[in-house]
Amino acid sequence: MAYRLAVTPTLRRAFCGAALTALAALSSVAVAGPDEDKSGRPTLSLSAAATSEVAQDKVTITLAHEIEGSDQAKLSQQLNQLLENTLAEAKRNTAVTARSGNYNVWANADRNGRITGWRGRAELILESKDFVAASKLAGDLSRLMAVSNVSFSLSREAREAEEQRLLAEAANAFRTRATDAAKAFGFSGYAVKQLDLSGTGTVTPAPRAYAMAAPAMEAKAADLPLEGGKSTVTVSVRGTVYLQ
């Protein structure tokens, strides 16, 4: 008998081991009535999903700095130097990943469209699963660039681990429902015709934004409470079985 599986990249490895095991918590189940395919055997379409909330384990802190000037080339040079110095200092902290973010230089114009000056903005992005280290580094760098945004997310490793766990639950729910449905329609069992897997995730809280201030006036980011929220992870199993 042939099986056709369609899996998402993050679930492919997990499905190989977990699809054959028994699984236990069902978030939602939908059952369609039996139908017949070209072979003449009745088929049944089923779907099951397992969902959980996982603590976000990754913080992203955006630092930014804006300057104004009358000379575009000089302004760009100053902004580049500031970003280079800040990035070099940030990369000395091995617990935090640092990279440059958005970089813009634009003209200020009067009512007649005449350029009156230039303005530039550069961003530095800090990412880490160590909230304490990230907060301290952002505080140390705030003398150069102000904190403009803080957001939290679920790391890829944590998401994949949770998807693997949920796959076992969703697969068990699918098997249980398929068995119960087959009996309800007067059949002794079932055989899998096709399976499709999918995984989704949503973030509960919105990113927290901070108004930019001059670096000398900025409160240290280490004084900010860095506590992530929850991400909802869902694994869905949809498929068709032969009733027998």
Side-chain angles (χ1 to χ4, degrees):
M1 180 168 298
Y3 296 83
R4 182 166 64 86
L5 305 180
V7 301
T8 58
T10 57
L11 296 177
R12 186 173 289 107
R13 293 193 302 271
F15 180 70
C16 291
L20 300 179
T21 63
L23 330 148
L26 173 66
S27 16
S28 67
V29 174
V31 182
D35 194 3
E36 292 189 358
D37 65 358
K38 294 180 180 179
S39 68
R41 291 185 293 174
T43 62
L44 186 68
S45 296
L46 302 163
S47 69
T51 301
S52 68
E53 286 193 341
V54 184
Q56 294 163 342
D57 63 339
K58 182 180 178 181
V59 63
T60 300
I61 303 175
T62 302
L63 307 177
H65 187 76
E66 293 185 8
I67 57 175
E68 289 185 307
S70 58
D71 186 286
Q72 180 184 9
K74 184 177 180 180
L75 181 144
S76 297
Q77 184 179 7
Q78 292 175 343
L79 203 57
N80 291 343
Q81 189 64 53
L82 172 66
L83 183 59
E84 182 180 342
N85 293 341
T86 309
L87 187 59
E89 183 175 342
K91 286 189 173 181
R92 289 199 289 267
N93 189 320
T94 58
V96 181
T97 300
R99 58 182 173 83
S100 56
N102 292 329
Y103 182 99
N104 295 289
V105 175
W106 64 94
N108 292 328
D110 57 20
R111 295 180 180 179
N112 299 320
R114 183 175 55 190
I115 295 177
T116 59
W118 296 89
R119 190 175 185 86
R121 187 179 193 272
E123 291 182 350
L124 177 68
I125 310 296
L126 305 178
E127 294 180 334
S128 181
K129 290 194 273 187
D130 187 334
F131 289 7
V132 175
S135 177
K136 184 179 185 305
L137 178 59
D140 293 341
L141 297 177
S142 64
R143 72 184 189 280
L144 300 173
M145 303 182 77
V147 175
S148 66
N149 189 74
V150 177
S151 63
F152 300 90
S153 61
L154 189 63
S155 67
R156 184 190 65 182
E157 297 80 7
R159 181 177 299 280
E160 289 182 347
E162 188 63 14
E163 285 178 341
Q164 183 171 356
R165 188 187 71 81
L166 290 176
L167 174 59
E169 295 184 2
N172 183 63
F174 183 91
R175 293 174 60 184
T176 300
R177 185 54 59 186
T179 299
D180 293 343
K183 292 180 180 179
F185 286 108
F187 294 86
S188 61
Y190 72 93
V192 174
K193 176 184 178 184
Q194 177 182 337
L195 290 175
D196 296 293
L197 306 179
S198 63
T200 60
T202 58
V203 178
T204 303
R208 290 182 285 176
Y210 297 85
M212 284 186 55
M217 300 295 293
E218 179 71 12
K220 277 188 173 293
D223 298 331
L224 298 173
L226 295 184
E227 182 178 355
K230 299 281 187 179
S231 286
T232 301
V233 180
T234 301
V235 172
S236 300
V237 180
R238 304 176 187 276
T240 303
V241 299
Y242 291 110
L243 299 178
Q244 58 188 25

